[in-house]
């Protein structure tokens, strides 16, 4: 991420039950980038700055995260509600009715799929990076049990324990698993903001990661299980398949998070595209990820 490479224009949009905070950079056709996991708009700062030469790049904090405030108490979040949030932002930021491109990763990739089923007429391209839709796994119960165990671990022992449970569960039965101490260390690094050491971050970056850490309880309690248990409308996705690209991480393509997307392409069509890094590739190497995203956005449309 960069502090002020391309200054963002900021705004707020009142939607049913919440007020969404959003940021916009650049000019051109709209590209809406939806953050996944516990992330907010700040996770895409560096990528947005690179893509703003060709697109109007918008990112936002999902409802209940960071600067997007709920009207009432936090409860389990619903994919279709966040899908309508995204649709309202598209209407706001592309008022002439021009089709938009949408990128989502992890939980927000699930939102991207739902958005394509509900409002295909507003979408030019949908890129969903590793949507963890457990119902598309060869053994859906495996995914249900894993994400339920992560939530239970959070309820019992807190954020770091939950992330350690997730890391262990996603490693796979045949992979060499790290020792307990290393699993805990990896989970602690994730809870503290991921791949860059705190001392390497600017004050602006430190604030972004502080917000992400603060969002983790909401993600683990109210987003992880409802979003991973989403059942996609395969018939509707089939109608929009020429607009659909599924991203898989080069380093995570055999893991539970990547398998559902690949199986979705087998079922309904669309493109399967490899991206740098793993499930969180957009934070591991945002420059390389943005380059691959640009290429995917500019690919010619698939035939109907």
């Amino acid at each position: 991420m960069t502090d002020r490479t391309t200054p963002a224009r900021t705004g707020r949009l009142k939607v049913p039950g919440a007020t969404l905070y959003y940021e916009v950079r650049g000019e051109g056709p709209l590209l809406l980038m939806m953050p996944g996991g516990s992330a907010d708009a700040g996770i895409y700062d560096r990528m947005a700055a690179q893509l703003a030469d060709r697109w109007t790049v918008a990112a936002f904090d999902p409802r209940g995260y960071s600067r997007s405030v709920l009207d009432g108490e936090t409860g389990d979040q619903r994919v279709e509600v966040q899908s309508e949030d995204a649709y309202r932002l598209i209407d706001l930021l592309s008022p002439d009715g021009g089709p938009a491109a949408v990128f989502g990763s992890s939980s927000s990739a699930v939102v991207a799929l739902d958005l394509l089923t509900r409002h295909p007429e507003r979408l030019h391209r949908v890129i969903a990076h590793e949507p963890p839709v457990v119902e598309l796994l060869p053994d859906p119960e495996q995914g249900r049990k894993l994400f339920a165990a992560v939530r239970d671990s959070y309820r019992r022992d807190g954020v770091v324990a939950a992330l350690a449970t997730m890391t262990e569960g996603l490693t796979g039965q045949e992979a060499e698993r790290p020792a307990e101490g290393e699993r805990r260390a990896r989970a602690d690094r994730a809870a503290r903001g991921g791949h860059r050491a705190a001392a390497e971050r600017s004050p602006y970056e430190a604030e972004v990661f502080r917000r992400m850490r603060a969002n983790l309880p909401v993600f683990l309690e109210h987003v992880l299980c409802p979003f991973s248990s989403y059942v996609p409308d395969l018939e509707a996705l089939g109608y929009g398949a020429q607009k659909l690209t599924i991203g898989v991480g080069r380093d995570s393509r055999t893991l539970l998070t990547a398998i559902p997307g690949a199986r979705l392409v087998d079922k309904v069509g669309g493109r399967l595209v490899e991206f740098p890094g793993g499930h969180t590739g957009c934070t591991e190497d945002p420059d390389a990820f943005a380059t691959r995203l640009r290429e995917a956005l500019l690919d010619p449309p698939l035939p109907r």
Side-chain angles (χ1 to χ4, degrees), residues 276-287:
H279 186 64
T280 58
C282 60
T283 62
E284 296 162 24
D285 190 344
D287 294 336

Side-chain angles (χ1 to χ4, degrees), residues 53-218:
D53 65 327
R54 188 178 184 104
W55 290 275
T56 296
V57 185
F60 65 101
D61 299 352
R63 59 168 60 214
Y65 280 10
S66 301
R67 298 152 294 190
S68 287
V69 182
L70 295 172
D71 292 346
E73 297 296 319
T74 304
D76 279 357
Q77 298 300 296
R78 294 164 52 194
V79 173
E80 62 269 26
V81 171
Q82 293 205 11
S83 175
E84 289 303 306
D85 288 347
Y87 175 67
R88 289 184 172 92
L89 277 166
I90 290 171
D91 261 0
L92 174 71
L93 300 173
S94 186
D96 61 356
V102 171
F103 171 79
S105 181
S106 191
S107 57
S108 69
V110 180
V111 177
L113 296 178
D114 190 74
L115 185 61
L116 180 57
T117 68
R118 293 173 183 272
H119 301 289
E121 75 286 350
R122 290 306 315 269
L123 303 175
H124 164 67
R125 183 67 54 87
V126 172
I127 301 180
H129 185 260
E130 298 201 358
V133 181
V134 300
E135 295 305 315
L136 293 173
L137 290 170
D139 178 10
E141 188 61 22
Q142 176 192 11
R144 296 188 201 109
K145 287 181 177 179
L146 169 60
F147 293 128
V150 172
R151 184 178 58 188
D152 291 345
S153 183
Y154 164 69
R155 290 172 172 173
R156 185 176 58 250
D157 298 315
V159 166
V160 172
L163 296 179
T165 300
M166 178 138 19
T167 298
E168 182 175 1
L170 294 178
T171 300
Q173 295 296 321
E174 299 180 0
E176 181 179 352
R177 295 183 177 180
E180 174 65 22
E182 175 58 19
R183 291 201 301 272
R184 286 279 178 162
R186 291 182 185 180
D188 186 60
R189 286 195 296 272
R192 293 176 181 275
H195 302 273
R196 295 186 62 192
E200 298 174 349
R201 299 182 196 132
S202 69
Y204 176 82
E205 290 174 319
E207 172 60 18
V208 171
F209 285 113
R210 183 201 65 77
R211 295 195 308 262
M212 290 172 56
R213 290 197 305 274
N215 293 333
L216 275 167
V218 178

Side-chain angles (χ1 to χ4, degrees), residues 213-236:
R213 290 197 305 274
N215 293 333
L216 275 167
V218 178
F219 169 69
L220 293 167
E221 179 67 45
H222 297 297
V223 175
L224 177 64
C225 288
F227 280 52
S228 61
S229 63
Y230 172 77
V231 179
D233 184 336
L234 298 182
E235 183 177 3

